[in-house]
């Protein structure tokens, strides 16, 4: 998926193509930290309270992400960022599930979620979420909506901003949103296949000069 950032250069809606979908937003998910997680690695039948090795699974708009494991910590700090293209289809959530990494089966540490419509409405959410289905624990997340902007002049500004907030771990933050609209095809040679399809390949060439 082409990645995105606060300023991007999408294809603008064309009135001659009413079937073209409108530009979508990008959800930037900051998985920051958790605290007071349940200790799953206990000793002597639970008489000695141990720690956990927590990690998080994040789901949004059909995409799934998994954080790194923080060893022996009940208040882990991840500071990881994920990005996903989202639309305004009702009933969607941004979901977080926490687990304790074990050799055999990972233990459940709680879950929480934020309705996507709330993020789309407020454009920015930064809060601690209580973990459900466990005795204790809460998760600190920051969610922000990045709107496509049809101005290539802002690209350098976005790149500079991204360099200041780029996390130490994870993929590079996006600076543009690429939209590809496939309109139609004609005179296809179909041999024994009732459904027409074609692969799409994007290539970056060398700069001119």
């Amino acid at each position: 998926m082409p990645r995105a950032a606060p300023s991007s250069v999408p294809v603008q809606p064309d009135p001659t193509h009413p079937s073209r979908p409108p530009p979508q937003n990008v959800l930037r998910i900051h998985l920051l930290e958790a605290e007071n997680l349940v200790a799953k690695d206990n000793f002597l039948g639970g008489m000695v309270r141990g720690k956990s090795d927590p990690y998080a699974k994040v789901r949004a708009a059909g995409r799934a992400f998994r954080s790194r494991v923080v060893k022996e910590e009940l208040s882990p700090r991840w500071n990881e960022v994920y990005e996903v293209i989202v639309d305004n289809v009702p009933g969607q959530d941004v979901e977080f599930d926490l687990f304790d990494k074990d050799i055999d089966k990972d233990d459940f540490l709680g879950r929480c979620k934020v309705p996507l419509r709330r993020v789309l409405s407020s454009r920015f959410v930064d809060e601690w979420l209580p973990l459900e289905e466990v005795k204790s624990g809460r998760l600190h997340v920051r969610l922000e909506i990045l709107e496509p902007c049809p101005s290539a002049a802002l690209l350098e500004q976005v790149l500079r901003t991204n360099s200041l907030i780029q996390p130490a771990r994870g993929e590079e933050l996006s600076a543009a949103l690429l939209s590809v609209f496939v309109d139609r095809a004609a005179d296809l040679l179909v041999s024994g296949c009732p459904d027409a399809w074609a692969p799409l390949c994007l290539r970056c060439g060398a700069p001119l000069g």
Side-chain angles (χ1 to χ4, degrees), residues 54-208:
Y55 68 91
K57 291 182 178 180
V58 183
R59 294 187 301 275
R63 296 287 306 279
F65 308 93
R66 174 169 168 162
S67 76
R68 63 188 176 91
V69 176
V70 180
K71 293 289 188 179
E72 298 184 351
E73 183 59 67
L74 299 181
S75 295
R77 293 178 178 269
W78 290 286
N79 291 321
E80 297 185 8
V81 180
Y82 317 107
E83 294 173 334
V84 59
I85 296 176
V86 296
D87 51 38
N88 202 18
V89 175
Q92 300 184 84
D93 294 311
V94 186
E95 302 175 272
F96 303 90
D97 293 276
L98 273 59
F99 295 90
D100 168 43
K101 182 64 178 176
D102 279 333
I103 298 177
D104 47 6
K105 182 180 179 180
D106 296 348
D107 296 315
F108 179 66
L109 291 177
R111 63 168 50 98
C112 56
K113 62 183 179 181
V114 178
L116 180 58
R117 69 173 179 272
R118 178 187 166 200
V119 187
L120 290 170
S121 175
S122 64
R123 320 306 289 179
F124 186 86
V125 173
D126 186 341
E127 64 182 43
W128 286 89
L129 304 172
L131 295 175
E132 302 174 354
E133 303 179 32
V134 288
K135 293 181 179 180
S136 66
R138 61 178 187 161
L139 178 67
H140 186 195
V141 301
R142 182 183 304 131
L143 309 173
E144 54 182 323
I145 293 295
L146 311 177
E147 298 183 53
C149 177
S151 173
L154 293 177
L155 183 58
E156 287 299 326
Q157 176 184 339
V158 172
L159 289 171
R160 287 194 297 269
T161 301
N162 283 356
S163 67
L164 297 175
I165 63 175
Q166 176 68 45
R169 298 181 177 86
E171 298 182 12
E172 183 177 355
L173 296 178
S174 305
L177 175 62
L178 174 64
S179 297
V180 178
F181 176 73
V182 181
D183 183 15
R184 66 187 67 186
D187 301 326
L188 296 178
L189 297 178
V190 180
S191 57
C193 180
D195 300 319
W197 63 277
L200 178 65
C201 180
L202 301 177
R203 296 178 180 176
C204 296
L208 300 177

Side-chain angles (χ1 to χ4, degrees), residues 35-47:
E35 68 177 17
N36 199 25
L37 297 180
V38 176
K40 290 293 185 177
D41 299 334
N42 296 318
F43 305 96
L44 299 178
M47 296 179 61

